[in-house]
Structure formats: structure tokens, C-alpha cells
Amino acid sequence: MRVAHRIGVLATISALVVASAPSADGAGHAWFTSWAQSQDGHADAPVSGRSLRMLTHLSQGGDAVRVRLQNTFGTGPLTIGHATAGLSTGGAGVSDVRDLTFAGRPAVTIPVGGDVWSDETRLVTSPDTNLAVSMFVAGTATPGRHGAALRDNYLTAPGSGDHAADGSGGAFTSTVGSTYVVSAVDVHNTSLRGTVVPFGSSVVDGIGSTNCGPGCTQLGADRRWPDDLARRIVAQAPPSAQLAVANAGVSGTTSAPSCPGMPPSVAGLDAGSRLDRDVLALHGVTSVIYYYGTNDLAYGCDGETILASYRSVFQRLRAAGIAVYVTPSTPRPGYDDAANLARHEIGLFVSRWSSCGGTCSGVVNFDEVLKDPLKPNTILPVYENGDGIHANAAGQQALADFVSLPMLAGSARR
């Protein structure tokens, strides 16, 4: 009867999607996005009458949460008949399960291209812990997703019904390496001073971070450099400078809207196109670490085109009151002479006055961290993931250790 009642109210609540979105200023500066994964496509197959359990990794905790459900790339309306949040106990197990509501209702229909934030839900969380978000998908839908979860997420069998409130993970018999529907989690924490958003392509998305050495893989270990940075902030920053970190990386994407060799799969996922939904729609954002350029060069964009996109995005961020810290393009052995010249041009621009010639707030020179000084187009062997492009877990930690915490604190709210 509970499921039947929830489905019965769905027809009246689609219009509540916009109404349930929290205010853009983070509601009194107490709400901060503590985790994010930007949507970049849709699920490979439809989901029908089954439950999803997606694991999110919080950079900071608080005394309440709210969750963003997104259907940007879904193929049709997505009806969530019941949703919960709880603390992961390992695998698909959950404790302290709380029902989520949307403008006071237990169910919601999200149109194609839409998203919705849940209402405030009282749940105490801590930094560096996993929050499980579970949903019963009523009917059939092919939902939006983030492709590189770098962990197992969980699904029940098709047609198995509502298991969103289950503490046990026994009903969740299938796994998926993507994150469906859930794209951000906010925490309520009056002690936090802002959210840092690393924004870029696969080097932000975390490719390579599961590589902990020869024969060693750590799936689900959350070793991306933004995760490592979040742990540094918790451990080393003073109470007056505690920040959340929300990852806005999407593999394969570019800063520029178009490059000659850009594959169709990433068209429309450039920095400017993603900026509103993947950065500005998050809460409490005080700074962005901009890590774009390697794919632009690999896809044949010239320096002028790349820098035009930089200037446009930086201007929009600074107009929103968000500090922008930029890294020059990092090593890639496949660069030809034209790409190397463009890379040099980008590096000069970013380094000028240590502020992109006055267009950004500062520089985070990850190129110096990663490159082999004897072969500057290659990554240091100790940080090499094996593909010549991405850093392994040790390299991810080195990047996180290089970021200046006082620099980030300087852009935080007082």
C-alpha cells in the first residue's frame, strides 16, 4: 500500500521540481556541497521497477543533508517513488536510514534535462565517510549518470520493487560502475567557510587514482586528488578555514566548445556548457581549481581557441564572486609540435603575473609536480599510471599536497 500511495501522488508533483530547489546562496551560508559527480550521459540500459543504491563520499560532514537528483541526459521522465539517505556500512549495507522528501512529498518526477534537490533531512555525517542514497524507480526510465564512479554501486533485480529503506544490502544483487541519478550532496554545517570545486576533465574525474602500484588496484578507495585535498583540509586547516570539496570532473572533455578532433561523445560537455549546472548550481562555492587543456591540445585546438574559452569561463566565475585558480596543461607524450607550442602559450598566459594576466585569482602549477624534468612531455615514472596521461594514486596525493591551503582559505567566507 505504501508504494501504491506514493505512485498515486506522482501526477500532482512534477511541477514541484523547481519549487523544491534550495536557494542559490546556500540558505544562510550554512549549506555547502560536500560531494558531486557531474552527469555526462545516460545509463546503458533502462531501469524498470527496481531500486538503486548509490554511494557518495562526503568531504565534510554536518547535522543535515540534502541530495540533488538529476536527469540531464535521461531519455525520458524519471519517476522516483521513494528515496532515502543513510550511512554506508560496507557493500550495499546502510544504517541510520532517513526518508528523503521533495517539497514535502515522498516522490517526484524529474523531466528530461531537469534536476531536483531534496528537502533538508536531519542526519549527522562526518568527513571522509560514505553516504548511501537509495531510490525506487517507478515505471521504466533510462536515467542520467556519471560514467566513472570508480567504485561499485548497487541495483536490485528488475521489477523487484521498493527497497530504498532496506538496511541490509541483500536485495541489491547487481553492481554498476557508474553513478545513476545522484549528482551532488549538500551538508548543513555552520562551521564551514566554503566549497572548493575542482573543474576539468579526466585528471579531475580521478582516472588513475585506483592504481596503487604494480598489481594493486583500489576500487572505491576515493584516492582522487580532490579526495586527498579534502582530507588535507580536514587534517591541516584551522577551524576558521574548513572547506568542502566537490568534484566537477568529466573524462574526455575540453575547455573549448569545439576542437577539430573532438569525438562526438563529448560534444556539448565543454567547460562553458557545463559551468551553470556543474559548478554554479552547487552551494557555498568560493573557489574553483581549473584543470583543463590536455584534451583540447590532443583534439587539435590551438592556443588562441583554448585561451578564449579560459577567459570566458574565468569571467563568468569571477562575476559570480568565485575565485579561480588555474593549472597549466600537464604532460602528455602524444603532443605534436603544434600542441607543444600551444601548451607553451597557455603556460605563459596562466603564469603571467601569477594571475593569468589578471583574469584568474592564482596559479596551481600541477605541470611542475607531474612532469619528468628530463622529458617534460612525460609524467615522472613514480607518478605514471601507465597511459602517459594520468597520475596514479601516489601522483594524485602529490597533486593534493601541492595545493596551498592558505590560498584556498583566502577566498573563503569570513
Side-chain angles (χ1 to χ4, degrees), residues 6 16 21 126 128 156 180 183 193 202 272 277 282 293 397:
R6 287 182 175 125
L16 296 173
S126 301
D128 203 25
T156 62
Y180 292 171
S183 64
R193 294 295 176 263
S202 57
R277 70 172 178 266
L282 305 181
Q397 185 67 63

Side-chain angles (χ1 to χ4, degrees), residues 84-107:
T84 66
L87 304 179
S88 171
T89 58
V94 182
S95 68
D96 299 299
V97 177
R98 304 285 193 274
D99 285 333
L100 299 177
T101 59
F102 306 90
R105 304 296 184 93

Side-chain angles (χ1 to χ4, degrees), residues 80-284:
I80 303 298
H82 180 206
T84 66
L87 304 179
S88 171
T89 58
V94 182
S95 68
D96 299 299
V97 177
R98 304 285 193 274
D99 285 333
L100 299 177
T101 59
F102 306 90
R105 304 296 184 93
V108 68
T109 296
I110 309 171
V112 174
D115 70 302
V116 59
W117 287 86
S118 72
D119 301 326
E120 173 181 344
T121 301
R122 306 297 293 181
L123 178 64
V124 175
T125 56
S126 301
D128 203 25
T129 59
N130 290 331
L131 180 80
V133 180
S134 306
M135 297 152 283
F136 167 56
V137 178
T140 300
T142 304
R145 62 97 170 101
H146 179 87
L150 304 185
R151 71 176 334 118
D152 284 335
N153 285 311
Y154 302 92
L155 295 78
T156 62
S160 58
D162 181 5
H163 291 273
D166 289 8
S168 166
F172 292 85
T173 53
S174 299
T175 61
V176 63
S178 301
T179 300
Y180 292 171
V181 185
V182 185
S183 64
V185 176
D186 283 0
V187 296
H188 183 269
N189 187 332
T190 57
S191 297
L192 296 180
R193 294 295 176 263
T195 294
V196 182
V197 180
F199 185 37
S201 54
S202 57
V203 290
V204 177
D205 206 3
I207 304 304
S209 64
T210 59
N211 177 359
C212 48
C216 176
T217 300
Q218 290 182 319
L219 189 67
D222 300 294
R223 292 296 310 276
R224 305 168 186 84
W225 68 263
D227 299 320
D228 293 333
L229 175 61
R231 285 186 280 268
R232 270 195 68 215
I233 291 170
V234 171
Q236 300 176 19
S240 61
Q242 285 292 307
L243 303 163
V245 179
N247 192 319
V250 170
S251 295
T253 56
T254 58
S255 179
S258 179
C259 294
M262 180 185 292
S265 60
V266 297
L269 290 172
D270 59 278
S273 297
R274 294 207 295 123
L275 186 63
D276 284 322
R277 70 172 178 266
D278 293 344
V279 178
L280 299 179
L282 305 181
H283 297 109

Side-chain angles (χ1 to χ4, degrees), residues 246-323:
N247 192 319
V250 170
S251 295
T253 56
T254 58
S255 179
S258 179
C259 294
M262 180 185 292
S265 60
V266 297
L269 290 172
D270 59 278
S273 297
R274 294 207 295 123
L275 186 63
D276 284 322
R277 70 172 178 266
D278 293 344
V279 178
L280 299 179
L282 305 181
H283 297 109
V285 178
T286 51
S287 61
V288 162
I289 300 176
Y290 197 82
Y291 195 165
Y292 261 121
T294 59
N295 288 333
D296 299 70
L297 295 172
Y299 298 155
C301 261
D302 59 26
E304 182 179 352
T305 301
I306 297 168
L307 293 180
S309 71
Y310 278 24
R311 292 186 180 97
S312 174
V313 173
F314 299 171
Q315 191 279 328
R316 290 173 61 190
L317 287 167
R318 296 185 73 181
I322 297 171

Side-chain angles (χ1 to χ4, degrees), residues 377-397:
N377 266 8
T378 63
I379 295 175
L380 275 169
V382 69
Y383 297 151
E384 170 63 62
N385 177 51
D387 57 13
I389 302 170
H390 305 101
N392 59 18
Q396 303 278 335
Q397 185 67 63

Side-chain angles (χ1 to χ4, degrees), residues 203 225 228 232 289 291 326-332 343 363-384 389-404:
V203 290
W225 68 263
D228 293 333
R232 270 195 68 215
I289 300 176
Y291 195 165
V326 184
T327 181
S329 294
T330 48
R332 192 162 179 154
R343 182 182 175 207
V363 178
V364 183
N365 200 338
F366 285 164
D367 181 44
E368 291 299 319
V369 178
L370 292 182
K371 73 181 180 183
D372 185 337
L374 301 179
K375 300 176 182 178
N377 266 8
T378 63
I379 295 175
L380 275 169
V382 69
Y383 297 151
E384 170 63 62
I389 302 170
H390 305 101
N392 59 18
Q396 303 278 335
Q397 185 67 63
L399 294 176
D401 290 343
F402 188 78
V403 177
S404 167

